């Protein structure tokens, strides 16, 4: 029976110092589940992860990345996903709740990202085969129901024209209806009608819910 390890580190620098070598040791599969592209955002962790953001490697080597729709909320993020997909990385978007933001290497090592804090995000690294297999199975189940970014945008996100995006931005700005309407060059009556149309498109019962729904769908705001 192999020796199993579990240890926690605080902050990206410590993660790379103690576990960074694991990223370059990948031989068969590198999978990652995250809400958006900011989980591994600090320079140290980002550099380590980017070393595995291409699919070159031994025959059969695979890189799979699973995100929530928040990964599509920014055009720069969409462009980044298009780039990594062109490099052979498999990317899917899931409308379901994701497990802990996770990296699994060769189904033998798992890194779980905890909550961020003032002293840095806590990461738990484990080689427990029971834990690794369990989370990998959960990842695979969600992966099977997820779709590629283009399909998600085409089938799940309502189309918003330039006016609709401006209305969405105005709702998030905290402006009064009169101020928002004036900024957009609309009458208050027209602005409120457009807000109602936007809420209907997002299947939202309130303005607050419309903002939440926009975030869930990954709509640029």
């Amino acid at each position: 029976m192999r020796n199993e390890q579990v240890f926690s580190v605080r902050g990206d620098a410590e993660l790379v110092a103690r576990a960074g070598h694991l990223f370059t040791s990948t031989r068969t599969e590198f999978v990652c589940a995250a809400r958006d592209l900011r989980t591994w955002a600090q320079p140290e962790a980002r550099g380590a992860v980017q070393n595995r953001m291409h699919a070159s490697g031994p025959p059969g080597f695979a890189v799979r990345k699973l995100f929530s729709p928040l990964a599509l909320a920014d055009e720069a993020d969409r462009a980044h996903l298009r780039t990594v997909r062109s490099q052979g990385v498999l990317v899917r978007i899931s409308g379901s709740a994701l497990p802990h933001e996770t990296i699994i290497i060769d189904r033998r090592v798992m890194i779980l990202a905890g909550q961020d804090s003032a002293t840095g995000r806590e990461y738990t690294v484990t080689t427990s085969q029971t834990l690794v297999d369990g989370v990998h199975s959960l990842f695979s189940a969600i992966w099977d129901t997820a779709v590629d970014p283009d399909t998600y945008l085409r089938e799940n996100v309502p189309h918003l024209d330039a006016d609709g995006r401006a209305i969405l931005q105005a709702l998030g700005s905290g402006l009064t209806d009169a101020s928002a309407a004036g900024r957009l060059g609309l009458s208050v009556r027209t602005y409120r009608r457009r807000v109602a149309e936007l809420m209907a498109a997002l299947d939202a019962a309130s303005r607050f819910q419309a903002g939440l729904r926009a975030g869930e769908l990954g709509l640029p705001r």
Side-chain angles (χ1 to χ4, degrees):
M1 182 177 180
R2 71 174 188 174
N3 293 327
E4 295 183 345
Q5 298 182 352
V6 179
F7 63 88
S8 295
V9 297
R10 175 71 66 177
D12 295 64
E14 188 178 354
L15 171 66
V16 173
R18 294 194 59 186
H21 64 283
L22 298 172
F23 294 95
T24 56
S25 70
T26 315
R27 293 293 176 266
T28 59
E29 182 186 56
F30 182 91
V31 304
C32 176
R35 293 180 64 251
D36 52 42
L37 302 185
R38 307 292 186 267
T39 302
W40 319 93
Q42 297 305 311
E44 298 92 343
R46 185 172 63 243
V49 172
Q50 285 179 340
N51 288 333
R52 285 279 60 133
M53 282 300 294
H54 54 80
S56 61
F61 179 72
V63 179
R64 294 190 289 166
K65 296 186 71 66
L66 179 66
F67 294 104
S68 82
L70 291 176
L72 303 174
D74 183 89
E75 179 53 38
D77 290 347
R78 298 186 194 199
H80 176 74
L81 292 180
R82 287 194 292 269
T83 297
V84 300
R85 290 177 70 199
S86 72
Q87 297 170 349
V89 175
L90 301 176
V91 177
R92 290 189 182 181
I93 306 298
S94 172
S96 303
L98 296 179
H100 288 290
E101 295 175 306
T102 306
I103 284 175
I104 302 176
I105 299 171
D106 293 343
R107 296 191 66 168
R108 59 183 174 82
V109 181
M110 179 170 62
I111 303 170
L112 295 174
Q115 295 297 316
D116 205 357
S117 70
T119 57
R121 188 185 294 267
E122 182 178 52
Y123 299 96
T124 298
V125 182
T126 180
T127 60
S128 167
Q129 199 61 56
T130 299
L131 295 177
V132 172
D133 287 346
V135 175
H136 191 280
S137 294
L138 179 58
F139 174 93
S140 296
I142 298 176
W143 177 269
D144 288 343
T145 61
V147 296
D148 65 81
D150 292 336
T151 300
Y152 184 89
L153 288 170
R154 183 172 62 252
E155 296 182 353
N156 296 277
V157 178
H159 173 71
L160 298 183
D161 58 17
D163 288 343
R165 291 192 295 272
I167 295 293
L168 184 59
Q169 185 177 31
L171 286 178
S173 68
L175 296 173
T176 65
D177 285 1
S179 296
R183 174 179 291 186
L184 298 175
L186 303 173
S187 68
V188 173
R189 181 177 179 180
T190 299
Y191 174 77
R192 288 173 177 168
R193 176 174 57 80
R194 293 302 307 270
V195 169
E197 292 171 351
L198 177 64
M199 290 169 56
L202 294 174
D203 193 24
S206 67
R207 296 185 180 194
F208 177 74
Q209 189 179 38
L212 294 178
R213 182 64 175 152
E216 291 172 356
L217 292 172
L219 287 168
R221 286 179 289 177

